[in-house]
Amino acid sequence: MFSSRVTGDLGPNRLTRAVRRARAAGTALIDLTVSNPTMSGIPYPASVLDSLADPAALRYEPSPFGLPDARAAVARDSARHGINVAPERVVLTASTSDAYSVLFKLLCAPDGDAVMLPIPSYPLFDHLTRLDGVRSIPYRLEYQGRWAIDFEALDRDWTDTVRAVLAVSPNNPTGSMLTAAELAALTERCEARDAALIIDEVFADYALSAQESSNPDRQEAKGKREKCLTFRLGGLSKSAGLPQVKLGWILVDGPETLARGALVRLELICDTYLSVSTPVQRAAPSLIAAGAVVRAGILDRIRSNDHELRTLAAAYPSIQVLPCEAGWSAVLRVPSTRAEEDLVIELLERDGVLLHPGFFFDFPHESFLVVSLLPERPAFVEGVRRVLERAHA
Ligand SMILES: Cc1ncc(COP(=O)(O)O)c(C=O)c1O
């Protein structure tokens, strides 16, 4: 479960072993790493999956990019984020992870071509690139009151093997979003250097303040056609809190000839796997509509937990809860009185609280802790109390 891009160690580390020991001993743990909304006491209407039983799915009509109604439903839903996309530019996948694999196959030749990845960010990228034989070149997000791309470092490390730059907005776990200026700077570089831009927007629905969700600067930046080949990723896993349903998508944008060429090659890849099930495609319009209720429940949970966390932490001046625009996690900067790993193991073994250390996400230095905002409120509040008490100087 815990691996680090820093060490490249895929075997169990000290923390993983401690977690296994605690679980084997039956220790009751408050889990502040939970990222699965279906196991977090979020209300799900019993009818939310009814549409999966539509008998229309008895007929199998293989279609590389997905059934037209499903693609049209995704295109319509994208308008919520100011994205204007034609259904013909929507490609369905079984998940966002599946979308990455499809895009790496499209853009990169194995064992040479590279993708630039943000750090800190989602740890699975390491496996996703490796499993497709793609090299990853990290680029740093620096924290200076907000998380911003270090463009100097990005330019320095950009080689002629780079085929794509990956941006995660909102980023997991920092909760930071690309500004319009950052998006423009990435687009400019990708256009000039013949690379594609992949923007992972799976957490786009989860602004932690109502103000952020309607930021006109970002809405306007997204409304325009991108100047480089661009792929925006989303899926029901986060937008409807339905990871088990397995439906993701790629929105293809960019100059007409590049986008068309990409779609031709994507068709071959998608036709080879045909990975999205027919019941899910038939149900997609209803699932997208029904997902709004689940999304509202998740939003409510993360906003109230974020508020609780900031209120509780205010009593501990040595601990800073970093500003966070959106997403399902919060980041705490804590005094570096001991190694992050020691602190997290101590929290596990002495306080019965499980949480991620910053190194799990490749934070640039110690000491950071990452807590999920998804747990039910009583457990979350108690867990956070114990963390603050243990971590403060
Ligand atoms: C930034 C990011 N992208 C993609 C995914 C994977 O999403 P999916 O379940 O659609 O594969 C996650 C899962 O947590 C994530 O954090």
Side-chain angles (χ1 to χ4, degrees), residues 183-353:
L183 176 61
L186 284 179
T187 304
E188 208 173 275
R189 283 164 171 78
C190 288
E191 184 192 7
R193 298 171 193 177
D194 205 15
L197 180 60
I198 302 172
I199 313 179
D200 180 329
E201 299 184 322
V202 297
F203 287 109
D205 289 296
Y206 297 100
L208 284 162
S209 76
Q211 213 179 2
E212 196 46 54
S213 59
S214 57
N215 185 332
D217 173 51
R218 295 208 174 88
Q219 298 288 355
E220 198 195 322
K222 278 189 194 170
K224 296 189 210 129
R225 167 155 294 181
E226 299 297 353
K227 291 199 190 113
C228 67
L229 184 59
T230 302
F231 303 96
R232 294 181 183 277
L233 308 187
L236 290 187
S237 162
K238 306 293 184 290
S239 73
L242 294 171
Q244 74 278 45
V245 162
K246 309 305 290 180
L247 183 66
W249 49 80
I250 304 169
L251 311 180
V252 182
D253 191 5
E256 192 61 28
T257 27
L258 288 180
R260 267 179 208 262
L263 283 163
V264 169
R265 286 175 292 135
L266 267 174
E267 188 166 3
L268 173 72
I269 299 167
C270 295
D271 198 24
T272 304
Y273 291 96
L274 293 168
S275 57
V276 192
S277 83
T278 299
V280 165
Q281 295 188 51
R282 289 276 174 216
S286 311
L287 290 170
I288 289 171
V293 179
V294 181
R295 181 163 62 240
I298 298 176
L299 201 53
D300 203 41
R301 172 73 57 80
I302 59 170
R303 283 184 177 173
S304 88
N305 278 348
D306 184 58
H307 177 73
E308 282 293 348
L309 170 64
R310 287 172 198 279
T311 309
L312 290 168
Y316 296 83
S318 65
I319 296 178
Q320 189 192 2
V321 184
L322 300 194
C324 180
E325 290 165 273
W328 293 359
S329 342
V331 178
L332 278 66
R333 192 183 217 161
V334 300
S336 301
T337 47
R338 49 220 188 280
E340 264 173 13
E341 192 171 35
D342 291 339
L343 172 58
V344 171
I345 291 176
E346 222 173 295
L347 273 158
L348 176 74
E349 292 180 342
R350 296 178 61 178
D351 303 303
V353 181

Side-chain angles (χ1 to χ4, degrees), residues 95-97 100 122 125 168 172 200 202-203 237-238 243 246:
S95 64
T96 318
S97 300
Y100 278 115
Y122 181 47
F125 291 144
V168 186
N172 173 11
D200 180 329
V202 297
F203 287 109
S237 162
K238 306 293 184 290
K246 309 305 290 180

